[in-house]
Amino acid sequence: MTTSLPLFDDATPAGASPGEALARELLQRARPAEAGHHDELRDAEGALRPAWQGFFDHLGAPLDDLQRRQALMARQIREDGITYNVYNAQGGPSRPWSLEVLPLIVEADEWRCLEQGVAQRARLLNTVLADTYGEQRLLKEALLPSALVLGHPGYLRGLQGVTPPGGIYLHVLAFDLVRGPDGAWWVVSHRTQAPSGLGYVMQNRLIVSRQFPEAYRAMNVQHLASGYRRLIDTLSELAAGCVEGAQGAQGAESAAPSLALLTPGPFNETYFEQAYLARYLGLPLVEGGDLVVRDERLFMKTVQGLAPLHGLLRRLDDDFCDPLELRSDSHLGVPGLMQVVRAGHVVLANALGTGFLESPAVHGFLPALSRKLLGEELALPSLPTWWCGEASAWAAIRPELAHQVIRPSHPHAGTPGFGSPRLRQSFEAVLGQTLTAPALQAWRERIDHDPGAYTVQDFVPYAQAPVWQGGGAGAGAGAGAGGPGHVSPRGASLRVYALSDGRGGWQVLPGGMTRIATRDAGPVSMQLGGSSLDTWVLTDGPVDTFSMLPASVRLDELAQRQRPVASRTGENLFWMGRYTERAEQQLRLVQNLIGLTSTEDEPDDAVLQALSALSLRCGLVPQGTPSLAQAPRVFERAALDALIDPQARQGAYSLAHNLDALARSAQTLRERLSPAHVRLLRTLGPDFQQALSPDAPDAAHGRPALQQADEALEHLAMQLSAVTGAQTDRMTRDAGWRLLTVGRLIERLVGYAGFLQAFCAHEALGQAQGFDQLLDLFDSAITFRARFQRRLERPALLALLVLDENNPRALACVLRRLRTELGKLPERGSSQADLLALLPHQGVGSTLDELCDPTQGPERLLALCTRLIDASWRLSDEVARLFFVHAETHDAMVSA
């Protein structure tokens, strides 16, 4: 539907201020809200609301400058790697977070009412939980139907009678609010298990406020940081009671409680904001696999040992938290966590068992519950709600079903009529649609069959907020230009957060996350392509200037800020180092193949056999491929096919496979890596695939297949050099970095010993071509020529590639660095001595005289390569056992 723009006189009155002229221009280029929807931009007379007039008074630039600011925001989002994972049938691809340039503005008087209503509801819901897991008076007096509570999968009977520390069940609550046509606010839903969005809220604020610094200061926009500080302080205070009995490495009890943020992992839709929130709050980001239960206490597996944890800010729904007592198929939770909760040895934010309150059916009972438990009327109403499990409620609403919203009472994907969660969300979001008579009858029959599974809510048209759009562009960050920009109205829903103070009070975060629809009156859903706005809450008092950054750091705190490295993080870093080195070795090997096939000299059979064997070992060709000497064109085609195959079919672990593994490791380590490092790792594979695609410019030049890859390989070599530089020069030298370095050195020892072994076994070092190929593989040709010119002498070659501790590619130098880094890893009993015992005590374990012996030298060289390769694999297994698995009978423990 197209709505014409309002008509105004183009002439600006004489003496009008720049803000008034800008507001007048804005009204000319802004479509009004659709009939029946509240307009956040205009008042009833069609003039700008006072808050928006104040905003444009301080804009300080032409209206079309909003397009430039929108583009700057989109660029920052891309550079910072702010993403949102969209679930679909093919998986969960990430897309950039969508943020609009104009905020939603809430005035001070209006916010005071919202703040009071949200805090009252938070207090009410915590009281309801205390009763339902305690005396259950509400169930006995039928103020809450037993079938609704006890029949809901979110009610955990295993926690009946268990009171969480401090009696606080809910530490952070999210309420989704909408404004009706009359301007009144309604509560649509609330999130009580693991509310999402706090990270995006802060990220939105940081990005948008920088675009309008003058307006942000002049309008007295309330800051957010004190709310986040309140959350951490509350968890720390409550977790202090869980410290007793949680011992550290020397048996001394931890002096302060340790907290962490529990994430479902990198494939969760909001993983970015979880990682960001963990960094902002100063908490380690952990997955279920990072945690373990010992003697009814919770520990984090770190490379230093087991570190006690006393509190978890969880972003994992109840069902997945403990596979022993909840969902047995969950790989995300912690076996035994429920028992730790029952023992009172951990604070969970929020407590387990709060999920039944998320049922929309609960809203219909809250007014009576408020009067009973608080002696107060609800200050902030819910939408009129009918739980169809009550016969009288279903009978009353059944005739009016055509214009209501039908929602599932329980979170079962299989609820008849709703299908997948995404389709159910879509259906719920399309509010107020009139069903056809057959569809309406089908819904009545479904509800008649199982009335308790359905809830009916009244329909309210969402208020519409102003969204800037460049000429001809759609909503969303990064809208392009193409003509004069304009402002379009979009349906908006505001998510507000309430944070417990641990003593019965609640602090409401002054702001929140505003989500907007993709079209004027469409569904408000990020999964369906919606966008977000920053939310500015104005204050008529002083602005809270609290910052999460401490005013000063005490000297005795510095040691405490060296946080343990989680075992999962250490393992991912270890394999990042291995994948980086492996990719570089494969790259160098395939470049040697291209150089060999393009030379005018006839390749030597021994060199061809050595390179064929190495290609098979390194995964450049699948098993059964004829050698270069037997069928060079078949070999080339097999190498090219495997080169770009990330699925590693037929047993070939291709270069594309390793680049893909690097991208996955970047995703799981984004809380440790810089945004530039993450972007670089994520672009390696796509850039390489694009350069080798059939549509690449070189593909039509008629060159041999492997030669087509030459430029792509050169570009990849430069990218990998940048990755190596970032890993070497831009990462803190903690235990995680040392594991990355150890992984890389292990892979280098395996690879280079394998290079030498193959050339020696196939007797390919007897002429110049074999010398050149091996020097190129070791990336040592320049050094060799500088020292020995063109002398093809075996002792010179072995001295440089095997025994030179100053050549970073030589086996002796790799071993020296390995011994150094292994010695700096955290002590785990006799771990360092055990690891070092797997390697030669000094050098490579052989002398140059032994390796150059005319009769036994080749055999000794082969034996040396075999020993080093075997030692590398044993070392890799031992590092994993000591630092990643934690499967010993008596685990070492460290203080938090």
Side-chain angles (χ1 to χ4, degrees):
M1 180 180 67
T2 302
T3 305
S4 60
L5 299 179
L7 298 179
F8 292 89
D9 185 2
D10 290 341
T12 301
S17 68
E20 291 173 342
L22 197 61
R24 188 174 182 84
E25 181 184 1
L26 173 71
L27 290 174
Q28 293 174 336
R29 295 163 65 175
R31 284 200 292 119
E34 292 187 347
H37 296 260
H38 178 83
D39 193 330
E40 294 286 354
L41 183 67
R42 291 181 172 88
D43 59 22
E45 286 72 36
L48 281 185
R49 297 186 183 276
W52 281 108
Q53 181 63 61
F55 177 85
F56 286 103
D57 282 344
H58 297 93
L59 185 60
L63 190 61
D64 282 315
D65 190 59
L66 291 176
Q67 185 61 31
R68 180 187 64 84
R69 303 185 198 206
Q70 182 81 68
L72 288 174
M73 286 171 38
R75 178 180 176 182
Q76 183 175 348
I77 287 171
R78 289 194 303 270
E79 290 181 350
D80 291 348
I82 308 173
T83 57
Y84 181 81
N85 296 335
V86 181
Y87 296 135
N88 61 18
Q90 287 74 39
S94 299
R95 66 172 170 85
W97 176 247
S98 187
L99 174 63
E100 306 298 335
V101 66
L102 294 177
L104 178 77
I105 303 176
V106 182
E107 301 213 43
D109 290 341
E110 187 174 37
W111 179 253
R112 276 190 286 269
C113 296
L114 290 179
E115 188 176 36
Q116 177 187 357
V118 167
Q120 179 197 49
R121 279 176 165 268
R123 185 160 46 101
L124 173 61
L125 292 178
N126 195 77
T127 307
V128 170
L129 284 167
D131 179 81
T132 51
Y133 283 101
E135 298 180 6
Q136 297 189 337
R137 291 184 298 112
L138 300 177
L139 304 186
K140 296 171 184 175
E141 298 176 16
L143 289 171
L144 262 179
S146 297
L148 174 60
V149 176
L150 303 181
H152 195 286
Y155 182 82
L156 302 183
R157 288 176 171 79
L159 295 178
Q160 175 62 40
V162 177
T163 302
I168 306 299
Y169 291 82
L170 301 170
H171 307 81
V172 53
L173 270 162
F175 295 89
D176 291 324
L177 313 178
V178 298
R179 197 200 294 267
D182 59 353
W185 288 93
W186 298 84
V187 178
V188 175
S189 62
H190 47 242
R191 296 289 178 263
T192 57
Q193 292 188 77
S196 65
L198 277 174
Y200 287 129
V201 168
M202 180 54 72
Q203 190 71 62
N204 285 359
R205 173 58 54 85
L206 292 175
I207 293 175
V208 174
S209 62
R210 290 169 183 166
Q211 300 302 320
F212 308 104
E214 293 183 5
Y216 184 74
R217 289 191 297 268
M219 296 177 70
N220 274 11
V221 180
Q222 192 60 278
H223 294 185
L224 302 172
S226 62
Y228 293 83
R229 181 75 267 164
R230 166 49 55 200
L231 176 60
I232 289 298
D233 288 346
T234 298
L235 292 181
S236 297
E237 292 168 8
L238 294 173
C242 304
V243 173
E244 183 179 355
Q247 296 182 339
Q250 281 72 43
E253 293 180 1
S254 303
S258 297
L259 310 176
L261 192 151
L262 177 61
T263 172
F267 299 108
N268 184 258
E269 58 186 352
T270 59
Y271 179 73
F272 167 83
E273 70 107 3
Q274 295 164 26
Y276 176 83
L277 184 62
R279 283 199 303 269
Y280 184 72
L281 298 178
L283 303 180
L285 185 69
V286 298
E287 298 180 22
D290 297 328
L291 308 178
V292 66
V293 172
R294 296 285 188 271
D295 298 326
E296 295 186 343
R297 290 192 178 275
L298 187 65
F299 294 88
M300 179 170 67
K301 295 185 286 187
T302 77
V303 298
Q304 293 89 350
L306 296 183
L309 275 181
H310 313 101
L312 283 179
L313 177 60
R314 66 182 179 96
R315 292 295 298 274
L316 190 61
D317 284 347
D318 291 356
D319 286 355
F320 300 94
C321 283
D322 187 346
L324 287 183
E325 298 193 45
L326 302 172
R327 284 188 57 158
S328 60
D329 61 341
S330 171
H331 297 280
L332 305 177
V334 187
L337 183 61
M338 286 273 283
Q339 189 56 36
V340 181
V341 170
R342 280 191 287 265
H345 292 160
V346 68
V347 174
L348 293 187
N350 290 333
L352 295 175
T354 62
F356 74 91
L357 283 181
E358 293 186 349
S359 171
V362 170
H363 290 268
F365 302 96
L366 289 181
L369 293 175
S370 180
R371 291 189 291 269
K372 171 69 176 179
L373 297 176
L374 306 182
E376 303 169 358
E377 294 292 335
L378 277 181
L380 193 60
S382 296
L383 289 176
T385 304
W386 297 265
W387 179 49
C388 299
E390 284 190 315
S392 59
W394 173 225
I397 198 60
R398 197 176 193 274
E400 309 296 328
L401 193 62
H403 299 282
Q404 306 298 323
V405 179
I406 306 169
R407 303 181 65 188
S409 301
H410 303 152
H412 284 316
T415 303
F418 287 102
S420 70
R422 188 165 187 245
L423 291 176
R424 182 192 325 138
Q425 183 185 42
S426 174
F427 179 83
E428 293 174 6
V430 184
L431 303 177
Q433 69 173 8
T434 301
L435 300 177
T436 63
L440 186 61
Q441 183 58 32
W443 274 106
R444 288 194 177 108
E445 292 174 359
R446 290 190 192 104
I447 299 175
D448 287 338
H449 177 71
D450 187 9
Y454 300 91
T455 297
V456 176
Q457 278 191 330
D458 207 351
F459 164 71
V460 59
Y462 283 20
Q464 295 186 338
V467 175
W468 173 260
Q469 291 185 296
H486 62 281
V487 173
S488 295
R490 293 286 183 266
S493 169
L494 172 61
R495 174 165 289 191
V496 176
Y497 298 86
L499 310 169
S500 171
D501 66 4
R503 294 178 290 275
W506 293 85
Q507 178 175 345
V508 181
L509 196 68
M513 184 171 66
T514 301
R515 296 172 294 169
I516 61 169
T518 55
R519 53 188 178 84
D520 300 5
V524 176
S525 167
M526 301 304 292
Q527 277 292 324
L528 297 179
S531 190
S532 67
L533 311 177
D534 187 19
T535 306
W536 287 13
V537 171
L538 309 186
T539 177
D540 46 20
V543 173
D544 183 0
T545 58
F546 174 82
S547 172
M548 286 288 285
L549 296 175
S552 62
V553 179
R554 300 195 309 269
L555 294 179
D556 59 355
E557 293 179 331
L558 295 179
Q560 299 177 13
R561 292 178 181 271
Q562 302 297 320
R563 296 185 177 277
V565 177
S567 292
R568 173 184 55 86
T569 300
E571 186 172 18
N572 285 328
L573 287 166
F574 177 77
W575 279 100
M576 174 182 282
R578 296 195 68 169
Y579 284 129
T580 304
E581 180 65 27
R582 192 175 294 177
E584 286 193 352
Q585 291 177 19
Q586 286 183 320
L587 171 65
R588 196 168 296 113
L589 180 55
V590 76
Q591 286 179 316
N592 274 32
L593 290 174
I594 292 176
L596 188 66
T597 57
S598 61
T599 183
E600 295 181 0
D601 297 332
E602 185 69 23
D604 183 80
D605 283 346
V607 175
L608 293 177
Q609 292 295 342
L611 290 176
S612 298
L614 281 176
S615 298
L616 187 62
R617 175 187 292 178
C618 294
L620 287 182
V621 293
Q623 295 287 340
T625 303
S627 71
L628 273 168
Q630 293 172 327
R633 295 303 179 193
V634 174
F635 187 93
E636 288 181 25
R637 175 51 56 189
L640 184 61
D641 289 343
L643 194 66
I644 60 176
D645 178 15
Q647 302 303 320
R649 289 190 287 268
Q650 302 179 24
Y653 290 91
S654 65
L655 181 55
H657 171 82
N658 289 318
L659 298 179
D660 188 55
L662 276 174
R664 291 195 302 271
S665 67
Q667 178 74 0
T668 59
L669 292 167
R670 64 187 310 161
E671 78 274 13
R672 283 186 60 97
L673 306 179
S674 69
H677 196 171
V678 173
R679 285 198 307 274
L680 180 59
L681 290 170
R682 293 179 65 179
T683 57
L684 293 176
D687 286 356
F688 187 60
Q689 292 278 359
Q690 183 177 5
L692 292 177
S693 69
D695 298 328
D698 289 340
H701 292 176
R703 297 194 294 176
L706 279 178
Q707 293 183 21
Q708 294 176 10
D710 197 16
E711 291 185 11
L713 292 167
E714 287 291 341
H715 180 69
L716 179 60
M718 289 189 292
Q719 289 180 308
L720 286 173
S721 296
V723 170
T724 300
Q727 294 174 357
T728 303
D729 196 46
R730 296 191 175 184
M731 294 182 67
T732 304
R733 263 59 170 170
D734 61 0
W737 179 85
R738 300 200 183 283
L739 285 167
L740 181 149
T741 304
V742 166
R744 179 154 195 160
L745 292 172
I746 287 175
E747 194 67 37
R748 181 171 295 181
L749 189 59
V750 171
Y752 285 13
F755 291 163
L756 189 58
Q757 184 185 56
F759 274 73
C760 184
H762 290 89
E763 300 180 349
L765 297 178
Q767 29 62 44
Q769 196 174 71
F771 259 65
D772 291 342
Q773 289 289 318
L774 189 60
L775 287 170
D776 284 340
L777 288 174
F778 272 75
D779 196 19
S780 298
I782 295 176
T783 305
F784 186 84
R785 301 306 175 208
R787 291 186 186 179
F788 307 108
Q789 289 78 44
R790 297 291 301 176
R791 298 172 65 179
L792 305 181
E793 297 181 8
R794 187 185 186 95
L797 184 73
L798 297 183
L800 179 64
L801 302 187
V802 178
L803 298 171
D804 189 348
E805 293 194 358
N806 295 314
N807 177 13
R809 308 288 175 171
L811 301 182
C813 185
V814 174
L815 286 166
R816 177 179 59 80
R817 293 184 60 200
L818 255 179
R819 287 189 287 264
T820 300
E821 297 303 335
L822 290 173
K824 294 180 180 180
L825 287 176
E827 286 281 2
R828 297 292 307 278
S830 60
S831 61
Q832 292 180 347
D834 293 340
L835 294 175
L836 291 172
L838 297 172
L839 302 175
H841 177 67
Q842 188 174 7
V844 297
S846 296
T847 66
L848 186 59
D849 289 341
E850 292 172 341
L851 298 178
C852 294
D853 184 271
T855 57
Q856 298 184 2
E859 292 182 5
R860 289 173 177 171
L861 182 58
L862 285 173
L864 172 63
C865 292
T866 301
R867 287 199 306 272
L868 293 180
I869 291 172
D870 290 344
S872 299
W873 293 123
R874 292 199 304 272
L875 181 60
S876 177
D877 291 342
E878 192 64 13
V879 167
R881 185 186 70 80
L882 285 173
F883 299 107
F884 310 147
V885 177
H886 296 270
E888 300 94 338
T889 304
H890 302 288
D891 291 299
M893 295 185 182
V894 298
S895 298

